[in-house]
């Protein structure tokens, strides 16, 4: 059985890893995924790029951009309320995900090979919300099953 302090360190570590991974994926180019290798731009019209990816680009591009943005923030929504009790409310965790995403998009505004896109903020916020939903589902299931590390 893992002691409480060890569990807390593990959860804090997973939160840190998820935030570092978010910054890695949003600040550095990834040739395999086609991220950050072409000159970027800015989009302030909600759902414009989501629609464009669906209609004008390949299915792979649509999945990487849209599903990827959601999946990228799900660990944050899951581990944040576990690590910091203040964030055990859906609104706070969702707002934290939205704010982190807005900071990232603001930084990307100044990066030549990145897109600063309001759709990314929307998708990242959905990801944080989905992660929180999984956190709540695990809490509920924990009463029905035994989970030990």
């Amino acid at each position: 059985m893992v002691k409480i302090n060890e569990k807390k360190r593990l959860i804090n570590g997973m939160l840190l890893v998820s935030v570092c991974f978010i910054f890695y994926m949003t600040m550095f180019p990834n040739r395999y995924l086609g991220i950050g290798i072409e000159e970027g731009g800015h989009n302030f019209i909600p759902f414009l790029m989501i629609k464009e990816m669906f209609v004008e680009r390949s299915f792979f591009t649509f999945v990487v951009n849209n599903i990827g943005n959601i999946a990228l923030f799900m660990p944050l929504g899951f581990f944040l309320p576990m690590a910091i009790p203040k964030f055990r409310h859906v609104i706070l965790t969702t707002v934290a995900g939205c704010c982190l995403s807005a900071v990232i998009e603001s930084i990307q505004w100044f990066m030549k090979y990145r897109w600063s896109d309001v759709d990314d903020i929307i998708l990242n916020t959905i990801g944080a919300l989905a992660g929180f939903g999984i956190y709540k589902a695990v809490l509920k299931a924990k009463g029905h099953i035994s989970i030990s590390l």
Side-chain angles (χ1 to χ4, degrees):
M1 188 76 148
V2 179
K3 293 180 183 176
I4 291 175
N5 286 337
E6 291 173 8
K7 284 183 182 181
K8 184 73 171 161
R9 275 196 301 264
L10 177 63
I11 291 166
N12 289 340
M14 294 305 292
L15 176 60
L16 179 62
V17 166
S18 68
V19 171
C20 288
F21 186 70
I22 288 169
F23 276 98
Y24 173 75
M25 292 302 294
T26 57
M27 297 296 150
F28 299 100
N30 185 318
R31 293 204 181 281
Y32 175 72
L33 296 175
I35 298 169
I37 59 172
E38 297 175 359
E39 192 160 335
H42 317 291
N43 171 42
F44 303 107
I45 302 168
F47 307 107
L48 177 68
M49 294 304 286
I50 293 172
K51 180 182 149 212
E52 181 184 304
M53 294 278 174
F54 185 74
V55 174
E56 298 176 16
R57 304 265 179 122
S58 70
F59 181 72
F60 177 77
T61 303
F62 175 80
V63 169
V64 166
N65 188 66
N66 296 302
I67 306 304
N69 271 304
I70 292 170
L72 187 61
F73 273 69
M74 287 175 71
L76 176 75
F78 182 78
F79 290 115
L80 186 60
M82 291 175 74
I84 305 171
K86 179 180 180 178
F87 289 93
R88 292 187 179 152
H89 191 275
V90 65
I91 299 295
L92 290 177
T93 298
T94 304
V95 168
C98 181
C99 288
L100 178 60
S101 182
V103 166
I104 289 167
E105 295 304 314
S106 296
I107 293 168
Q108 288 179 338
W109 173 276
F110 300 101
M111 298 173 74
K112 184 176 182 177
Y113 293 99
R114 302 303 290 199
W115 274 89
S116 184
D117 189 350
V118 68
D119 290 351
D120 289 352
I121 297 172
I122 293 167
L123 294 167
N124 296 157
T125 303
I126 291 169
L129 177 62
F132 185 86
I134 294 169
Y135 160 76
K136 287 301 245 184
V138 167
L139 278 183
K140 188 173 182 179
K142 191 176 175 184
H144 301 291
I145 59 174
S146 175
I147 300 174
S148 61
L149 299 174

